[in-house]
Amino acid sequence: IAEKAVSYLKARTSNSTSNVFSTFKDWDVLEKVLLVWACNSFQGGRLYPKLSRVNHSCNPNAVIQTIKSQGVPSAARTKQDANNGNHEGQRLLAATRIDKGSEICISYLGLLLYADTATRRKKLENTKYFKCHCRRCSDTNMEGAAQIPCPTCHPRESPQLSLNEDVQYDDDQAVQYTTMASTCSKCHNKPERGNKLDKVHQSVCNKIVAFLDTYQGLSNANK
């Protein structure tokens, strides 16, 4: 977005509508400012002196809540909102118990917070330009949502790669779980990448991500 915005302004510096940029030279600085805005703004493009500095975690201990009332504190609104009589703001709420001295973190991912590590990291790299190394991304044992029955301990039945019902329902809680990126704690084997099961797994993940992106886009459009 920042690059496109700068390119747009450069191409129109000779137009009468762009006189403010006719002698402008600090394009790199402008692009940096736009990137800071793009990576730290909230819904509606708003920047906040404190809230915009809260870091990300895929295992957040706080959430951002949008406030729509006449009693929004001035600290929760931008100066422009206050001048325009807009009483919508944001506030930071604890999502769990936070020990004194611990860092307060939120999620930048929206509904994709519930996706697997590879998907979350790819989204953050594409939109926020950093690779996440939070505890959840670094510890595969925390990836409950991405775990599958170990392909070695629980072989799939061809041609549909289906599991028998005992493994599917796991009533006895005897199933050994792992992820496509980790080693099984029982057989110590790591699922083979690039095989049919991996492709099916990735296809399902892609469909879920596409659904979440579509759902979130529709949800934001209706706000």
Side-chain angles (χ1 to χ4, degrees):
I1 295 175
E3 290 179 357
K4 289 182 178 179
V6 170
S7 297
Y8 178 89
L9 291 172
K10 282 183 176 180
R12 290 161 176 77
T13 52
S14 59
N15 296 343
S16 58
T17 56
S18 304
N19 286 337
V20 66
F21 291 105
S22 60
T23 59
F24 192 77
K25 301 297 182 181
D26 296 327
W27 296 107
D28 290 340
V29 174
L30 177 60
E31 184 173 335
K32 184 176 181 179
V33 170
L34 290 173
L35 282 170
V36 170
W37 167 79
C39 292
N40 295 280
S41 60
F42 286 85
Q43 183 179 335
R46 297 181 177 90
L47 286 174
Y48 298 93
K50 293 183 178 180
L51 288 184
S52 293
R53 295 176 178 269
V54 180
N55 286 327
H56 164 85
S57 171
C58 293
N59 191 28
N61 54 17
V63 295
I64 296 293
Q65 183 185 59
T66 299
I67 313 168
K68 292 184 179 180
S69 69
Q70 295 298 315
V72 178
S74 58
R77 288 180 284 150
T78 64
K79 184 176 181 180
Q80 183 177 358
D81 286 338
N83 293 337
N84 294 339
N86 186 347
H87 293 281
E88 181 180 278
Q90 313 278 345
R91 65 179 175 184
L92 186 68
L93 296 178
T96 185
R97 177 184 175 84
I98 303 175
D99 294 331
K100 184 177 180 180
S102 298
E103 182 179 9
I104 298 175
C105 295
I106 60 175
S107 167
Y108 298 169
L109 290 165
L111 291 175
L112 289 182
L113 176 64
Y114 305 104
D116 62 298
T117 299
T119 299
R120 297 195 312 273
R121 279 183 164 176
K122 182 178 180 180
K123 183 70 173 181
L124 289 169
E125 287 180 17
N126 289 342
T127 59
K128 301 298 183 180
Y129 309 102
F130 71 89
K131 184 174 183 178
C132 186
H133 292 283
C134 71
R135 184 184 174 192
R136 184 181 169 197
C137 285
S138 304
D139 186 355
T140 56
N141 292 324
M142 293 186 68
E143 276 295 82
Q147 289 185 340
I148 60 172
C150 173
T152 303
C153 298
H154 310 287
R156 273 61 173 174
E157 299 176 3
S158 296
Q160 301 298 326
L161 298 180
S162 58
L163 292 164
N164 65 53
E165 290 189 358
D166 290 339
V167 176
Q168 290 184 43
Y169 293 104
D170 194 18
D171 292 333
D172 299 328
Q173 296 186 345
V175 174
Q176 295 296 319
Y177 292 95
T178 186
T179 69
M180 295 303 294
S182 60
T183 302
C184 175
S185 60
K186 182 178 180 180
C187 70
H188 305 295
N189 286 329
K190 188 175 182 179
E192 182 181 349
R193 302 311 296 263
N195 62 13
K196 187 174 181 180
L197 177 62
D198 183 34
K199 292 178 181 178
V200 171
H201 178 265
Q202 191 57 53
S203 175
V204 172
C205 289
N206 290 340
K207 289 179 180 178
I208 293 173
V209 170
F211 170 80
L212 292 175
D213 275 337
T214 302
Y215 180 85
Q216 185 162 303
L218 292 172
S219 177
N220 291 338
N222 291 329
K223 288 183 179 180

